[in-house]
């Protein structure tokens, strides 16, 4: 705590926060008393905080200090953790289209399937391999909805019944990160009306976190394809994730996948 707060105030000049310079300073940045004034707390209390003493700290005071020190969201969360508190809930961010850089990554990932979904599990980008392997069509706009309503996906997914509870629980866990966002409830309510399986699973209120999984499909042309699926967050777009599927070693998936995509004229040979 001491080192973090000292380093944050050392990088701010009085002019950055609308204070007069006040003559020569022995050390760069703001003085402790200036931070205390800006945050609306006592100088002694702030000094104790910076010294790491065992004092009671509220979220409101930490937010005031974060504003005084011009902390960004990552630094604010770090301050909370240093004070022994849980960071604030993530703020809702609008869904955004995939950047050109990430789209190029998806294209380069082919012939392996990949896609991007936003915090509501809406697809924002899908490569051709994902459409061909998993049967996603032009009407598939949401990963959760497609899992429970896309008949082709359900048929080819070898472990659909075993995976369904994890999928519903994962969506509920994501919804909990945005308690003030009604879109999660809307998606779940509309899906429950058309999918009895989802309605039953959603009513359980199970939650689960997962960043990786094994996904197996029985493709009508290529046979069984088994992938290690990895979910990677995109920090510049909170709530958005890149999901990449890599052929599982020893299953023959890579060879069958490349043959399938070659027949569709959508692949040049990829090493490894």
């Amino acid at each position: 705590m001491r080192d973090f707060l000292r380093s944050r105030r050392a990088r701010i000049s009085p002019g950055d926060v609308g204070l007069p310079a006040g003559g020569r300073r022995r050390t760069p940045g703001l003085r402790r008393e200036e931070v205390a004034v800006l945050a609306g707390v006592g100088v002694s209390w702030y000094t104790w905080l910076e010294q790491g003493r065992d004092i009671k700290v509220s979220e409101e005071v930490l937010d005031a200090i974060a504003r005084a020190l011009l902390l960004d969201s990552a630094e604010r969360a770090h301050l909370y953790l240093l004070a022994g508190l849980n960071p604030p809930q993530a703020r809702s961010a609008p869904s955004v289209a995939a950047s050109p850089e990430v789209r190029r990554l998806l294209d380069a990932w082919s012939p392996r399937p990949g896609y991007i979904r936003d915090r509501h599990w809406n697809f924002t980008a899908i490569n051709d391999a994902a459409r061909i392997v998993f049967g996603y069509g032009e009407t598939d706009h949401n990963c959760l909805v497609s899992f429970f309503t896309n008949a082709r996906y359900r048929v080819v997914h070898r472990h659909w019944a075993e995976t369904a509870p994890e999928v519903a629980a994962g969506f509920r866990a994501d919804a909990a990160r945005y308690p003030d966002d009604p879109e999660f409830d809307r998606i779940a309510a509309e899906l429950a009306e058309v999918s009895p399986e989802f309605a039953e699973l959603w009513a359980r209120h199970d939650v689960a976190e997962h960043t990786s999984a094994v996904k197996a499909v029985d493709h009508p042309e290529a046979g069984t394809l088994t992938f290690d699926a990895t979910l990677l967050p995109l920090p510049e777009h909170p709530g958005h994730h890149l999901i990449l599927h890599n052929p599982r070693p020893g299953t023959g998936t890579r060879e069958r996948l490349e043959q399938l995509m070659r027949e569709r004229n959508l692949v040049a040979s990829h090493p490894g």
Side-chain angles (χ1 to χ4, degrees):
M1 176 71 80
R2 177 190 60 193
D3 294 338
F4 179 67
L5 289 176
R6 282 181 176 177
S7 67
R8 296 310 90 177
R9 64 182 174 87
R11 69 179 182 176
I12 302 174
S13 68
D16 292 335
V17 291
L19 295 176
R24 298 180 62 182
R25 293 170 179 254
R26 291 179 297 176
T27 58
L30 297 178
R31 301 185 177 103
R32 285 174 175 170
E33 55 267 27
E34 290 170 332
V35 176
V37 169
L38 291 169
V41 299
V43 176
S44 296
W45 186 92
Y46 177 78
T47 300
W48 295 336
L49 176 68
E50 193 169 292
Q51 291 174 343
R53 295 195 188 184
D54 186 15
I55 57 176
K56 185 176 181 180
V57 183
S58 68
E59 295 179 359
E60 292 76 14
V61 171
L62 286 183
D63 284 343
I65 292 171
R67 289 191 296 270
L69 294 174
L70 307 179
L71 303 186
D72 62 22
S73 58
E75 291 170 328
R76 179 170 170 252
H78 186 62
L79 177 62
Y80 267 71
L81 292 173
L82 291 175
L85 298 177
N86 291 323
Q89 290 283 349
R91 295 178 181 177
S92 296
S95 180
V96 296
S99 67
E101 294 81 7
V102 176
R103 284 189 175 275
R104 286 196 293 271
L105 173 60
L106 278 180
D107 291 340
W109 189 250
S110 186
R112 294 160 292 186
Y115 53 84
I116 300 170
R117 73 185 192 200
D118 67 12
R119 71 180 182 278
H120 300 125
W121 292 28
N122 295 315
F123 293 118
T124 63
I126 309 178
N127 69 6
D128 290 329
R131 293 189 182 279
I132 291 171
V133 170
F134 302 128
Y136 292 134
E138 294 302 320
T139 59
D140 289 290
H141 303 297
N142 182 280
C143 186
L144 177 74
V145 174
S146 293
F147 183 91
F148 284 96
T149 64
N150 182 320
R152 182 182 174 188
Y153 181 86
R154 182 166 179 166
V155 168
V156 302
H157 197 296
R158 171 167 284 198
H159 305 294
W160 189 93
E162 295 88 340
T163 304
E166 299 175 6
V167 172
F171 188 74
R172 186 175 287 282
D174 279 359
R177 294 187 175 90
Y178 305 94
D180 299 323
D181 187 342
E183 184 66 6
F184 290 95
D185 287 337
R186 185 195 68 78
I187 293 171
E190 292 185 359
L191 180 56
E193 291 180 357
V194 298
S195 171
E197 294 95 341
F198 175 77
E200 189 274 328
L201 292 171
W202 192 246
R204 295 182 186 179
H205 290 266
D206 291 340
V207 293
E209 297 282 358
H210 58 275
T211 58
S212 62
V214 177
K215 186 180 294 185
V217 299
D218 291 320
H219 195 274
E221 300 171 47
T224 301
L225 303 173
T226 307
F227 300 94
D228 293 314
T230 302
L231 185 146
L232 304 170
L234 299 176
E236 66 273 22
H237 301 303
H240 290 61
H241 290 84
L242 173 66
I243 294 88
L244 299 177
H245 300 80
N246 205 30
R248 193 165 180 81
T251 64
T253 296
R254 180 175 66 84
E255 294 79 8
R256 289 193 293 274
L257 177 64
E258 289 189 352
Q259 178 62 29
L260 172 66
M261 300 300 286
R262 191 173 293 111
E263 291 171 356
R264 301 294 185 93
N265 297 316
L266 291 171
V267 63
S269 182
H270 280 248

